[in-house]
Amino acid sequence: MENVTIRMLAERLQLSTATISKALNNSHEISEETKQRVLALAAELNYVPNPYASSLRKKASNTIAVVIPEVADSFFAEAINGIESVAQEKGYHVLIYLTHESFQKEQAILRDFQSGRVDGVLISVTTETAAAQHGLEQLVKEIPIVFFDRVCEEITAAKITTDDATAAYKATTHLIAGGCRQPVMLSASRHLSISNKRTEGFRQALADHQLPFTAASIIYCSNDTIATHELLKKAIQKEHYDGIIATTEKLATAVYEAAAALHLQIPHDLQVIGFSNLSTAKFLNPSLTTITQPAFDMGKAAAALLFKALKSSSFALPEQQEVIPSTLLIRNSTLAAAD
Amino acid sequence: MENVTIRMLAERLQLSTATISKALNNSHEISEETKQRVLALAAELNYVPNPYASSLRKKASNTIAVVIPEVADSFFAEAINGIESVAQEKGYHVLIYLTHESFQKEQAILRDFQSGRVDGVLISVTTETAAAQHGLEQLVKEIPIVFFDRVCEEITAAKITTDDATAAYKATTHLIAGGCRQPVMLSASRHLSISNKRTEGFRQALADHQLPFTAASIIYCSNDTIATHELLKKAIQKEHYDGIIATTEKLATAVYEAAAALHLQIPHDLQVIGFSNLSTAKFLNPSLTTITQPAFDMGKAAAALLFKALKSSSFALPEQQEVIPSTLLIRNSTLAAAD
DNA sequence: CTGAAAGCGCTAACAG
DNA sequence: CTGTTAGCGCTTTCAG
């Protein structure tokens, strides 16, 4: 059986395609009676409208894109969850693109969006992304876009973030309260604004507690698991850190791995806090103290913002900002009690 | 600046739109010279083809759909990863749909695909899905579709699975080898063929070791975390199980939670094996013995199969089957040594 | 309230 | 090698 089109319905009902179209779209200028007849036949013939014809004509795709570095990370997985929940509710489709931290891939993906493939985009940029070189500034003007979590500072655009500096400050203070004198922060990027904010919170907390901030206070880790493992082991041995703040989920587990390899006891030899949404954090050995980001809510908020913009073209999307706080969950990988 | 179309290029170059189109598609019937001129202008004007116009005309969308129960599960996250890696390579776009284990949602989503929105679909069905009631049989005939992991037995269709029965058999044997006499399997569904296969392997292993298989040997758990927690606690207390096989990731952590609540020591009071792809399995307390499914490879294989079918219409997709083995990773939540 | 006609941007015959 | 023409399926003026 070939595809049922609006024209087939029109012929069978002796109506024009225009009338059918309007009836299907519940236009007020169609009589209740014809609407019913059209709907009935459509149901009977199992009519499903061709989205591409409609998109071509309306210049709207009812589709949004989600562009993220990876999906095998509970933050992003939960964020997608949040995004999808609102997209489904609004009847939108969601395209997903993974950049694998490659700036080039990201650029290629974003470039494609100028085609009108999507009505809007939600993005969390790569560790390599420097807004300047990018067509990003341009794109923001051309298509509704909201950044979440990994945003670009330099750009004026809608952003959903969490309180990175504050969270890092809290984490650091917690470490210090547990007796830590030589904390180190593991960072995933020198460019990312969220990394820099976390660094800033960290630095501030050190300063406020008269602890030195040196070149050894931050370790920049690559996306390469093995290299990171080696780097960590060497650094921990050399610098005798007594506390670590891992700013990504992968880095947190890398620390556990390195500690095991070096026969260091967490938390006694080394306290650990991870920025992580791992549901298993409390079952780790020892259970991991985390800064838990509101991943699901951030996804939801980002999507909600985008849809607001899609609904009313007068909505000043690029001006929008929202910060959703993270929470410090104290467990056994650190020594200080809750305050 | 409005969108650049093929016609604008045609006018500027004094060529027909047909020629432009062919040149852009690198048709052999266009001279090298004109191709260059066209490409040059296209690049200059930053021309990006309208995918919907092209899809409408070609009746092909260069898009596939991935339909899964949820994304916040490392199996599915990794599977998406695998799928996306081959889709990106082939220049396809991927739409993602979450069913949240709702059969109704799944049905609505699949129904929409009759519109031609996607060229093919990859699906892992919900726990509720019973193929019969579904338009599934129908859909298989209408659109290239490959099932992965959670497949429908009753249907003839392309399927990528793992060796569920064998894996469960191995897991059970391992438990028994560690001294377990009263093992129980936690199942997520009565309908799912993968659940039934796991049950089958479990039952077989019990039989082969002269252990009884009773009504208490299997517990069917819902998707509701809290209810599951209560159910588990009660059942463990009542039946005095000494070993548990959790057939999903969530169930595995639920067991850890229940054991903690009941002050049971894993593995001494209760041995645990989880079907899980958690990267943190080895850091759990105690580290979790797992049946690890080849999630990434299953996703890749499923996508590869689909693209093969999309490339050659003569490819007998529904006949294809592939089984990729899982591996038993022995850790500290069970007692038997590796053999 | 319904219909005729035009066209979204692209591609596929078919001529030349 | 290039152009003409038609049309994918739908929506939108504009008339009636």
Side-chain angles (χ1 to χ4, degrees), chain A residues 94-107:
Chain A
V94 3
L95 280 166
I96 200 152
Y97 296 90
L98 306 182
T99 58
H100 298 288
E101 305 288 9
S102 156
F103 174 67
Q104 284 206 358
K105 267 190 197 157
E106 190 179 69
Q107 236 173 343

Side-chain angles (χ1 to χ4, degrees), chain A residues 52, chain B residues 55 58-65 91-93 95 113 115-122 139 142-146 306-307 309-311 317:
Chain A
Y52 297 128
Chain B
S55 291
K58 293 202 293 189
K59 292 178 174 305
S61 62
N62 254 257
T63 304
I64 62 170
Y92 271 71
H93 299 261
L95 281 166
F113 293 161
S115 67
R117 187 183 297 278
V118 296
D119 298 340
V121 2
L122 299 173
L139 199 70
E142 292 177 0
I143 187 174
I145 176 168
V146 3
L306 184 61
F307 287 122
L310 293 183
K311 184 163 275 177
L317 185 61

Side-chain angles (χ1 to χ4, degrees), chain B residues 5 8 16 85 121 124 160 191 221 291 293 305 315 322:
Chain B
T5 72
M8 295 169 64
S16 74
S85 73
V121 2
S124 211
I160 304 290
H191 315 297
C221 301
I291 294 288
Q293 299 164 281
L305 210 53
F315 183 67
E322 190 173 344

Side-chain angles (χ1 to χ4, degrees), chain A residues 46 49 52 61 71 77 81 84 88 93-94 96-98 105 111 114-115 117 257 280 282-285, chain B residues 46 49 52 61 71 77 84 88 93-94 96-98 105 111 114-115 117 257 280 282-285:
Chain A
N46 195 21
Y52 297 128
S61 62
V71 66
N81 223 335
E84 206 269 353
Q88 195 159 96
H93 299 261
V94 3
I96 200 152
Y97 296 90
L98 306 182
K105 267 190 197 157
R111 180 169 194 285
Q114 298 186 318
S115 67
R117 185 182 299 279
E257 206 139 37
T280 52
K282 66 175 150 184
F283 301 119
L284 295 187
N285 184 16
Chain B
N46 196 22
Y52 297 127
S61 62
V71 65
E84 206 269 354
Q88 194 160 95
H93 299 261
V94 2
I96 201 151
Y97 296 91
L98 306 182
K105 265 188 198 160
R111 180 166 195 286
Q114 298 186 321
S115 67
R117 187 183 297 278
E257 207 138 37
T280 51
K282 64 176 154 185
F283 301 118
L284 295 188
N285 184 17

Side-chain angles (χ1 to χ4, degrees), chain A residues 250-265:
Chain A
K250 288 215 165 65
L251 288 173
T253 53
V255 171
Y256 272 54
E257 206 139 37
L262 296 173
H263 303 290
L264 293 174
Q265 292 291 329

Side-chain angles (χ1 to χ4, degrees), chain B residues 104-268:
Chain B
Q104 285 206 357
K105 265 188 198 160
E106 190 179 69
Q107 238 174 342
I109 291 161
L110 293 178
R111 180 166 195 286
D112 173 74
F113 293 161
Q114 298 186 321
S115 67
R117 187 183 297 278
V118 296
D119 298 340
V121 2
L122 299 173
I123 186 173
S124 211
V125 302
T126 79
T127 48
E128 299 177 342
T129 304
Q133 313 144 31
H134 222 276
L136 262 177
E137 313 231 26
Q138 190 53 32
L139 199 70
V140 170
K141 286 172 205 140
E142 292 177 0
I143 187 174
I145 176 168
V146 3
F147 293 76
F148 68 100
D149 195 48
R150 297 180 174 195
V151 304
C152 284
E153 284 255 275
E154 310 83 354
I155 283 184
T156 303
K159 295 169 191 169
I160 304 290
T161 52
T162 183
D163 57 346
D164 290 289
T166 308
Y169 187 94
K170 273 193 222 164
T172 313
T173 308
H174 176 69
L175 238 33
I176 295 171
C180 189
R181 314 268 80 200
Q182 175 89 318
V184 61
M185 175 169 270
L186 269 33
S187 176
S189 167
R190 292 172 194 279
H191 315 297
L192 239 38
S193 76
I194 58 167
S195 300
N196 295 334
K197 292 210 168 157
R198 288 170 190 178
T199 307
E200 192 38 45
F202 176 58
R203 209 194 45 68
Q204 187 60 249
L206 292 185
D208 288 355
H209 292 83
Q210 287 80 46
L211 255 37
F213 179 83
T214 72
S217 297
I218 300 207
I219 302 178
Y220 291 98
C221 301
S222 73
N223 200 30
D224 176 339
T225 317
I226 298 171
T228 298
H229 183 63
E230 288 309 313
L231 179 64
L232 271 186
K233 275 205 306 196
K234 276 193 197 128
I236 293 172
Q237 274 183 307
K238 175 155 175 249
E239 303 288 344
H240 302 294
Y241 298 118
D242 55 2
I244 294 193
I245 300 178
T247 59
T248 70
E249 195 161 289
K250 289 216 166 65
L251 288 173
T253 52
V255 171
Y256 272 55
E257 207 138 37
L262 296 173
H263 302 293
L264 292 174
Q265 290 292 327
I266 300 173
H268 297 290

Side-chain angles (χ1 to χ4, degrees), chain A residues 26 62 83 99 143 173 191 197 255-256 279 285 289 327 335:
Chain A
N26 199 21
N62 253 255
I83 291 165
T99 58
I143 186 174
T173 308
H191 316 297
K197 292 209 170 155
V255 171
Y256 272 54
S279 60
N285 184 16
T289 294
T327 52
L335 292 171

